[in-house]
Amino acid sequence: MRPAALGRASRYSQGRVFGISHPDRFRRCFSHEISQETCSSVAKLLQWKPTPDHVADNPPQVVINGFVRSVRSMKSIRFVALGDGSSLAPLQAIVDTKHAEGLTVGAAVRLSGAWVSSPGASQSHELHVSKVEVLGPSDAKTFPIQKKYQTPEFLRTLPHLRPRTPLNAALLRFRSDAIASLTQFFASRTFTQTHPPIITSSDCEGAGEVFTVTPATETADQANTDAKKDDSFFRSKKYLTVSGQLHLEALSQSVGNVWTLSPAFRAERSDTSRHLSEFYMLEAEMSFVDNLGAVMDLTEDMLRFLAKSLYETAAVKELLSRSSQSGSDLAPLDEVRRRWEGLMDPSWPRITYTEALGLLQKNAEMFTEKPTWGMNLQSEHEKFIAMSVGGGQKPVFVTDYPRDIKAFYMRPNQPTAEQPNATVECFDLLVPEVCEIAGGSMREHRLEPLQDAMKRHGILKPAMDVNGNVIPDADGNGPTSNLDWYVDLRRWGCPPHGGFGLGFDRLLCYLSGVQTIRDIVAFPRWVGRCDC
């Protein structure tokens, strides 16, 4: 069949299925003169269904690039499973033995041939190969990624090769789709995307779990000594950021509502399934906002939009219809589907910390750590709240935590008869199993209350020069800190504002069913491990 046998609309519509927007390109790809241009990804070729015009004796000719996943040898032919990261399922290619040289597991190849009906049940069509080009040879005897089952622990030792496995490729596509959806959401709300710095002068949370930045030419002893001298690289100690929030607050005073998706770093020696030393944080700041409800509404709207927009994407469909073999290390499918349904639910419960403590204390016998007012909620407490309040499906907002266990920048609530203890306007968002995935607050926008909070947390201290003399602040007296610039924001036109931060990798774990955060990140870093 020559292209002229197809009408213009038919040619164009079939071209769109292949991701080709121009009819001429479609003709080049499907004529008998096979182009070296790649006509499609494996995913789109597997989805394509021929029209009645594509008769069996004159099938379309295609060209496909990919990596050999497996080779099964018969007497005169080879069955080759080809993948390119676009699909969990491979493309089956039939290759004559005389053309099969170099077709080994892991090899990068370009295959040309006819796309014909397959007698097998697993794939409607298969590629009958007429030309093989081995673009990147592979030694199958030493290539470590084999078709057989390999544990997540083993694959973590090969972070440079792990993305080639079908599941990890699907997770990369899922991550990309999620970023695109979030960008669309914030653009629709007229938020400005920004890039806060990676190297900072302070520890945002004040927990001390930061990485210090020094030139590679300095020894540790020199770095510690030079931190007090003017000839050190930055003239004082600097750190990898744990959060972009403080800088986002400054930017929000310029253009209004802002957001970012940026890397964050934490030198936390927690060897758990929920912690990494390098991870991504989605953070947003809202300017001229008077109450915490608006910040929670934004968080809820964002996650609901994300879930609804991603639910019908190819990557999510694959993750939610995976085989038992490809998903044996993931959370059960029924549970993962409930997570998606919970995010798409039109309303999420909101309770105060005090109400949550009352619920926990009524069931105190269930917990190893007995709940008392003023303590941080432990993982077992958060799981219980997510199950009992959210029904094991809906996310739950817990608000108004005790002031003394939260960060210095959170705005305090006014004491009431019902709640005489000091609390702050903040929230944690809890989901089943994973627990906290987001947290936010109203920020203290008044100068004197902020300074009081910084003194209470030990952040605002007298600054000393190299001779041990106190360095006065901008007013000529009183204490200073490396957060003087942050305090300055309150001196000149600081409106009420609030925002939140969301652990992006934790969210992807929750929605994909991946059991540990180390397997959702392409190149994970945690205490004791930074392989490449």
Side-chain angles (χ1 to χ4, degrees):
M1 175 200 69
R2 302 297 295 173
L6 291 172
R8 179 180 298 271
S10 177
R11 289 200 307 269
Y12 184 70
S13 62
Q14 293 297 332
R16 285 180 62 87
V17 172
F18 273 83
I20 302 162
S21 59
H22 195 284
D24 288 340
R25 293 183 65 196
F26 177 75
R27 284 197 292 269
R28 288 199 305 271
C29 290
F30 280 84
S31 68
H32 292 293
E33 298 172 1
I34 298 175
S35 166
Q36 289 304 306
E37 178 184 13
T38 302
C39 291
S40 177
S41 65
V42 166
K44 289 190 176 181
L45 192 53
L46 292 177
Q47 294 167 5
W48 180 75
K49 297 295 186 291
T51 68
D53 293 332
H54 294 128
V55 293
D57 60 351
N58 200 3
Q61 303 293 307
V62 298
V63 182
I64 192 76
N65 294 331
F67 297 88
V68 176
R69 289 189 188 174
S70 66
V71 179
R72 182 161 55 93
S73 299
M74 304 293 284
K75 184 175 181 180
S76 59
I77 60 173
R78 300 286 187 271
F79 290 93
V80 177
L82 193 74
D84 63 357
S86 66
S87 168
L88 277 176
L91 179 147
Q92 179 171 283
I94 311 297
V95 184
D96 192 286
T97 302
K98 64 183 179 181
H99 297 310
E101 184 177 356
L103 289 179
T104 57
V105 175
V109 300
R110 176 176 294 143
L111 304 181
S112 307
W115 188 239
V116 301
S117 297
S118 171
S122 61
Q123 190 169 301
S124 65
H125 285 68
E126 59 193 12
L127 182 62
H128 286 197
V129 177
S130 57
K131 183 179 179 181
V132 173
E133 296 176 77
V134 178
L135 307 178
S138 172
D139 182 355
K141 294 181 180 179
T142 59
F143 184 63
I145 306 294
Q146 299 294 328
K147 188 177 181 180
K148 65 180 182 180
Y149 171 77
Q150 291 166 309
T151 66
E153 292 78 13
F154 170 74
L155 291 174
R156 283 179 217 138
T157 67
L158 302 167
H160 56 304
L161 297 174
R162 182 176 67 165
R164 290 206 206 176
T165 62
L167 177 60
N168 281 280
L171 294 175
L172 284 175
R173 289 185 281 114
F174 175 48
R175 175 182 289 265
S176 177
D177 291 343
I179 294 171
S181 175
L182 291 165
T183 302
Q184 181 184 358
F185 171 80
F186 282 110
S188 71
R189 298 294 184 99
T190 63
F191 274 67
T192 300
Q193 186 176 15
T194 61
H195 295 111
I198 301 301
I199 300 174
T200 71
S201 60
S202 64
D203 174 2
C204 173
E205 300 291 341
E209 297 164 339
V210 291
F211 291 99
T212 302
V213 177
T214 57
T217 53
E218 292 182 1
T219 66
D221 290 339
Q222 288 173 326
N224 290 333
T225 301
D226 288 348
K228 300 178 181 179
K229 296 182 178 179
D230 289 343
D231 60 354
S232 63
F233 191 87
F234 288 114
R235 302 181 67 179
S236 62
K237 279 191 176 182
K238 304 301 173 189
Y239 313 97
L240 292 179
T241 183
V242 298
S243 169
Q245 177 206 312
L246 305 188
H247 295 90
L248 287 181
E249 289 187 53
L251 296 176
S252 71
Q253 292 188 17
S254 170
V255 292
N257 298 343
V258 294
W259 77 287
T260 189
L261 181 60
S262 302
F265 307 86
R266 190 157 294 178
E268 187 175 10
R269 293 184 175 273
S270 294
D271 190 11
T272 76
S273 62
R274 298 192 299 156
H275 292 89
L276 287 175
S277 297
E278 178 185 354
F279 52 96
Y280 268 75
M281 287 287 291
L282 187 154
E283 297 177 276
E285 284 294 319
M286 303 173 70
S287 194
F288 294 94
V289 172
D290 296 316
N291 60 78
L292 187 64
V295 182
M296 290 191 288
D297 289 344
L298 177 71
T299 309
E300 184 172 340
D301 290 348
M302 179 196 72
L303 289 171
R304 187 178 296 111
F305 177 92
L306 177 73
K308 288 183 176 180
S309 64
L310 290 183
Y311 198 66
E312 295 300 323
T313 59
V316 171
K317 285 182 177 179
E318 286 184 319
L319 291 172
L320 294 182
S321 60
R322 49 184 160 84
S323 66
S324 57
Q325 181 179 2
S326 63
S328 59
D329 299 302
L330 305 183
L333 268 178
D334 288 346
E335 179 182 325
V336 177
R337 289 194 183 99
R338 285 195 297 271
R339 296 174 181 181
W340 284 88
E341 292 166 0
L343 284 189
M344 291 187 284
D345 195 277
S347 63
W348 302 351
R350 302 177 181 184
I351 64 170
T352 67
Y353 169 91
T354 301
E355 291 169 338
L357 254 292
L359 183 62
L360 293 169
Q361 289 171 339
K362 289 179 181 179
N363 298 274
E365 72 282 353
M366 299 177 60
F367 308 116
T368 303
E369 190 80 22
K370 302 307 177 185
T372 57
W373 203 96
M375 67 178 292
N376 275 308
L377 297 182
Q378 303 301 307
S379 176
E380 59 178 342
H381 304 147
E382 293 178 338
K383 288 182 179 180
F384 179 84
I385 293 168
M387 289 299 297
S388 59
V389 179
Q393 182 167 316
K394 293 183 182 182
V396 179
F397 287 100
V398 180
T399 68
D400 303 325
Y401 281 73
R403 181 193 66 185
D404 293 339
I405 63 173
K406 287 298 183 178
F408 72 93
Y409 51 74
M410 296 184 179
R411 191 171 77 184
N413 284 304
Q414 291 296 324
T416 64
E418 294 77 19
Q419 183 48 266
N421 298 312
T423 61
V424 288
E425 293 183 71
C426 68
F427 73 84
D428 283 349
L429 182 62
L430 310 181
V431 294
E433 299 304 323
V434 176
C435 301
E436 180 193 350
I437 60 169
S441 73
M442 293 298 295
R443 319 308 191 189
E444 180 54 82
H445 66 286
R446 300 162 297 179
L447 177 60
E448 291 185 2
L450 177 64
Q451 291 175 321
D452 291 341
M454 294 174 74
K455 292 174 183 176
R456 191 168 57 249
H457 283 79
I459 296 171
L460 204 58
K461 301 176 181 178
M464 313 294 287
D465 63 19
V466 292
N467 297 316
N469 299 316
V470 174
I471 301 174
D473 65 7
D475 296 325
N477 54 18
T480 64
S481 77
N482 54 11
L483 285 175
D484 282 351
W485 66 271
Y486 183 70
V487 177
D488 275 351
L489 295 176
R490 274 65 180 172
R491 299 182 190 277
W492 303 297
C494 184
H497 61 286
F500 71 89
L502 178 140
F504 186 59
D505 303 302
R506 282 191 185 181
L507 174 65
L508 297 184
C509 275
Y510 182 68
L511 290 177
S512 64
V514 170
Q515 305 278 41
T516 169
I517 199 168
R518 297 169 187 173
D519 296 330
I520 199 69
V521 175
F523 298 98
R525 282 87 168 87
W526 69 95
V527 57
R529 294 296 294 271
C530 182
D531 292 340
C532 65

